[in-house]
Every structure is written in C-alpha cells, then in structure tokens.
Amino acid sequence: MPLPGSEATFIAVLAPFAAAALAPVLTRAMGHNAAWPLALVPAAVFLFFAGLAPEVAEGARFTPSISWIPSYGVNLSFLIDGLSTLFALLISGIGTFIILYAGGYLKGHPHQGRFFSFLFLFMGAMLGLVLGNDLMTLFVFWELTSITSFLLIGFDHLRTASRRAALQALVVTGGGGLSLLAGFLLIMSLTGETSMAGVLASGDMLRESPFYALVLVLVLGGAFTKSAQFPFHFWLPNAMEAPTPVSAFLHSATMVKAGVYLLMRMHPVLGDTALWTTILPLFGGVTLLVGTLLAVRQTDLKLMLAYTTVASLGLLVMLTGTSWERAIEGAALYLLAHSLFKGALFMVAGTIDHEAGTRDVTKLGGLRGAMPVTFTAACLAALSMCGLPPFIGFIAKEYMYAGTWYAMEGAGTAALLVTATAVLGNALMLVIAAAVAIKPFMGPKVETPKHAHEGPLLLFAGPVALSLTGLAAALLAHATGEMFIAPVVTSILGERSDVVLHLIPTYIGAPLILSLVTIALGVVLYLSLDRLRGAMAGVLAAIGWGPDRGFDQMIAGIVTLSTRLTRAVQGGRLDVYMTMTFLFAALAILVPLVSTGNWPSAISWPSFRFYEWGVLLIAASGLYAVLVARTRLTAIVSLGIQGFAVALIFMLFGAPDLSFTQFMVETLSVVILALVMTRLNLQPRDHRPMVPRLIHGTIAAAVGFGFAALLIRITQLPFDRSLSDFFEAYSRTIAHGRNIVNVILVDFRGFDTFGEISVVMLTGLCVLALIRVRPKADRAAAFDRAAGDEAHEKREEARV
C-alpha cells in the first residue's frame, strides 16, 4: 500500500549519509561532544519507524519507490513490513547509543570525525539493505555494508592485524556478495520480478523450478558468508581488531545479521523444503557449537563475546531452517534479545578496556566498586543472555524450546537433535555471559594497567539503556509480542501469525524443564571454566589447522598462481604478445562466421569495376613490396602503399576530406616510423627461420581474410538509416554545421575526438622522447668526454 508522505522514508534512509558528510565538520568544531547532536540523526530515524510500527502491526505493508536507473529498470524502492521495521528500529535505536559511545570511547582521537563518518555510512548501508525492495537496490546496499565495514575494521590502519582483518572481512563477504548477485539475477530470470515484494508474491514458483537447488546455494553463499556460518565464521572474531564501538554495532544490529535477515526474508519462497530444512539446521547447529566452544577457549572479553555472536547467528540460522512456526517465533524473539544484550555487553567490555587498560579476563577482578554503573549494566545484559527471568532472553529461550520440542511428533530425530544442540549451545553461552559479568567485577581487586574508575555518561548510557530495554521488553511481553514479534513472524512465514507472549510460564512443561536443564548445565560448566578452557586449548593445538590459517594459505596460493600465470603469459617478449593478439583476433572473427552453418555461401563476394581492380592491384603491389623488401626501412616505406590505396578508395567514393586525412596520416606514419627505425638498434633485415615465418604469415592471412569477410558480410545486411537520418536532421539545427562528418567529430562525438587528440599528442611526446634517446655507445662516449674535460680542468688548476 502507498505510504503517506513517502518522501519521509527516503529522508530517513538517506539521513545517515548526510550525517556522514556533516560529522567531520561538527567534530572539528565541538570535539567529542559532537556525538550529542550527531546522535539526533539515528534517534529521529528510530522515531520515524516507531511511528509506523502500529500500522505495520495491523498488517500494513508499504512499498515507496522512485525511479533510480530507468534505462535498466532499477528503482530505489523500499519494503516496510514487520521484519524490516524491527531491523530498522534496532539499527537506528542501537545506532543512537553507538554514536554516543563512540564520542566517549574515541575522545581526543585525531581521526574521530572520520570515524563518525564511517559509522554513519555503515548505518545508512544497513538501513538500505533491510529496507531494500528492488533486488538490485538491495544488492547495492549489501555490498556497501562490506565496503564500509572494511573501512571500520581497518580504521587503525597502522596496525598489521587491523589491515589483515579488514581485508579478510572484505574478501569473504565480498565473495559471498558475488554469489548473492548471481542468485538474484537467476531469481529475476525465473520469476520475471525485480522487486522483493514481487518475488514474495510468486508463491511456489522458485520451489517448483528445476533451478531451485542452484538458487538456494547461491543465496546461501551470500547469507552464510555475511552471517559468519561455519566454515566462514573466522572473519568475525578477527574483526575485533576494530574499535569497540564498531564491534558493538557490528555484532548487535548490523552487518552480521544481514545474512539472517536475508534467510528470514526469503523463507516464504525458498523455505520449508527438504534442502532448506537439511542445510540450514546442519550448518547452523555446527556454527552454534563451534562458536560456543571457541568462546570458552578465549580470555579476551571481546573475543569471548565475538565467538558467542557466531554461535548466536548459528542458532538463528538453525531455528529459521526448521521452518517450524514456534521455532520461527523463538528465532524472532532471540533476534531482538540478542541485539539488546550483545550491544550492551560489547560496550561494557570496551568500557572496561578503556578505563582499566586491559580486556584479559584473567587480569581483571574487583571492579564492581570502581565501576558500579557498568557492573549493573553488565549484570542485567548477562542475565538476559543467560536466559533468566525477568528478561526477554528468557522468553526467547522458552519459545525456541517449545518450537523444537513439540515438533518431535512430526520431525522425530531431527527435532531431538535440534533441541539437544540448542540446550548445549545455550548452556555454553550462559558460561560466557557469567564470565563476562562476574569475572571482571567480583572477587578480590586486581591491579590493572590503568587506575580503574567509572566511565563518563557517553560510555555507560548505551549499556544501561539497552539492558533496561531488554528488561522492559519482557515486563511488557504482551505488547512486545503484539507490536513487534507477530509482524516479524508474519513476514517470515508469509502468512498472518498471532504471537502471544507471557513472561511467567502458563504451565510446567518441556520448555521450562529444558530451561532449567540449560541453567544447571551452564552453572556446572562455569564452575569448571578453567579446566574447560585448558581442554579446548589442547584440542585446538592437536587439530592445528583451521579456516583462518586456510584463508592465509588460499591467499598465498592465489598470489603464487597468479605470479606463475603472469610469467607464463607475459614473458616479456613483444613478438609473442603480438602473435597471440592477432591469433585470438582471427579466431574471434572466423569462428562465428564459420559456425553459422551456411558458410561459405553466406559471404557473397562483390564484383569490382575496372578502376576498383586497379586500386586493389596497387594495394597488392604494395604488399608484395613489403614481403620482398631487403631491409626493414624499405618495408616500412612500402607499407605506406596500402594506406594510399585506401585513400584512393575514399576519393573514388566521394569522401575527399577523408581521403586527404588518410593521405596525411599515412605519410606522417611512414615518416615517423622511418625516423624511429633509424634510432633503434635493430638488424637491417628480418632473420626469422622459415617455420616462424610460415606461422606468422598464416595468422596474418587469417586476420586479413577474416576482416575482409566480416566487412563484406556486414555490407550485405540491410542498411539501417536511423543514425544517418538523425545526423542529417540535427547537424544543421543543433550543431549549426553543414559538413556532417565535421559535426559528428567536433560536436556529437566531441569527447571522443578530444580523447583521440590526447592519444596522438601523447604518442608524439613518446616518439620525441625516443628520438632524443642516445644509443649506449654515444652516451658512453659523451661520459668519457665529460670525464676527460673534468680531469683536464683539475690538472690546469693544479698547475696554476
């Protein structure tokens, strides 16, 4: 349906890009306090989409659109429904506090304005991605998130680790983007639709297509790389080289959830098939377990949280891949809960590092007295991550367990495996949440590199607000489900869904029991955290190799292969380059002509008049003179005969200006070539053996014959006068010229002519430089003379 005042949607989406241009100016004027006015931009975007939420909850769907690239049918169009609205609220809402946090975290940094600019570009790209309706628009924003994340991850570009992490993220997600582009093009071809709304309305067209498997693999290639699914998970923890505001934004509401968003968005047309319900739960479950186990191994707070983000993304993919309605509800709830508690915990980790000077959990302790506000925010966020009441994380866990357990009647073993994987993964995430919230703050005080104290308002405003939002979302569970979760589930399933949330379980059943099992298992594992960490370190040491090292090996292999290929293809010999160029030119011309099926009857050789035979005879005599020439200089002079023959053809067919140009160009070419040849140290004759001469002669004859046949074939086609009529009609009225050829060169194709003149000028300069270069013997003689003169002057001075 049309959106009243749809211009506001475009303003909301494009506002972060305007803020990106304004950020450096404001930062120079206000310093780190520029974060306050800059944060008003994402706050206004949040309020705009919050105003649309009631209508979206009632089932409204808006598709504002304007023409962007009409020649290719690409529109700048957006799809506003339950799924995109929730993502837009998370991006803009969390983005507001990220901007404030960045103001305090990078206070005094010489490039803080640039950092703000990159953050806003990233925010705008992510908003365009989740709201994009036109598939090409969505893809443009998809790739823009990869580019802007590259800038953010590599912000500290003087550090090798930052540059490597940025390049790794760009290569992995960029490669996945190419896969997604191929998938989108195939979807557009199969459905005839260019918009996401049109594709979603196509029903089972893609599922019933013989190309369904290919479409699914291509789309999964984009989604899995973006959302760091195993084995592409390695780039995400390495991205922790970025400043903490980037990590908090990246892991909570933006780029890493883009793949999950895409899978949820495409579920109505790609989901609920045997392939879908096999591939997604399998890879998602493996990612969940791998992420949590690797998180246990870490001692860096950010890395611990980063690996749990990998695990959480795996959990979301696994739940989405089941296509079970209650599991989808659990995924939607966990999406909201994870964004809130993970954004808060990352900012807590950054604040600890900023104020205490270290993120190593083994070197922290007793900070609760020095940082009481940060400690409170960490506890609230960690309780939600543990899945304990009264937080939104608890409700999310209850719904995901209900969705997997009660599916056993129809799914059997698959539902049991998914449930067991979810329980183990959630228990391990409870371990990490407890470690992040308890280890740095509880116990005896540990001396830290910096004197620990509470951070400023800019640093703790975000963690406090996000953790309290997780609490409020659970306390207002009914409103949360009705306003936000139900529309999301409706978008994912493609049909109306009513979600009724309860903070307090209405009955004691399997979901509650599984939650208790998760908590008990998590507590046991937390008490054995040090032994578990040592065991994982031993396992990883025994394995040795991993995808991260494999990435380096792949890059090194590509460099080695490209170097060897370059040396093989470009060996430095000009004669080989020219031979290969003309060989492929002959093949490119002759193969299509011969493969038409009616060769050689397709070529009707023209009948020449007597004077045309005379011009051909002149050209043939020139060719003969070139072939029998005794010296290279004679061959060059004889080569000009062909050019003069072409000039005669122009004159005979009524083009005296072209004929004159041809005469001049040919004459100058012969003179310049002859002049250059006299300055080059070449043998006077060509002493190639007979076999190379035959090969080169055959290729030359093939090229000449191919061009002749191609031109004859073109002249036999019906002449299209549309372009000629255009120039005849408008050369006088628009360009005010009677000579159509001159008008074309000077006006209609003026830039082409300017470029050609520039090329000729550069060529002339190169020829001039070549002429002025002295042979080595002359340079040596000049050097000797200069040295002798200098020695003579010294002797004269000594004598005097």
Side-chain angles (χ1 to χ4, degrees), residues 754-788:
F754 178 75
E756 292 166 359
I757 293 173
S758 301
V759 170
V760 173
M761 182 182 69
L762 289 174
T763 304
L765 292 175
C766 293
V767 170
L768 179 62
L770 190 61
I771 293 173
R772 293 174 61 87
V773 172
R774 295 182 180 181
K776 292 183 179 180
D778 294 346
R779 291 200 303 269
F783 179 79
D784 292 340
R785 286 195 300 271

Side-chain angles (χ1 to χ4, degrees), residues 267 272 276-277 280-281 316-328 403-404 407 414 418:
H267 182 273
D272 202 13
W276 179 277
T277 56
L280 268 67
L316 287 169
V317 170
M318 182 179 70
L319 294 174
T320 304
T322 62
S323 294
W324 303 326
E325 182 175 354
R326 294 295 295 275
I328 296 293
T404 59
V418 170

Side-chain angles (χ1 to χ4, degrees), residues 87-100:
F87 268 95
L89 289 171
L90 291 174
I91 293 165
S92 56
I94 296 177
T96 301
F97 294 104
I98 293 295
I99 295 298
L100 294 175

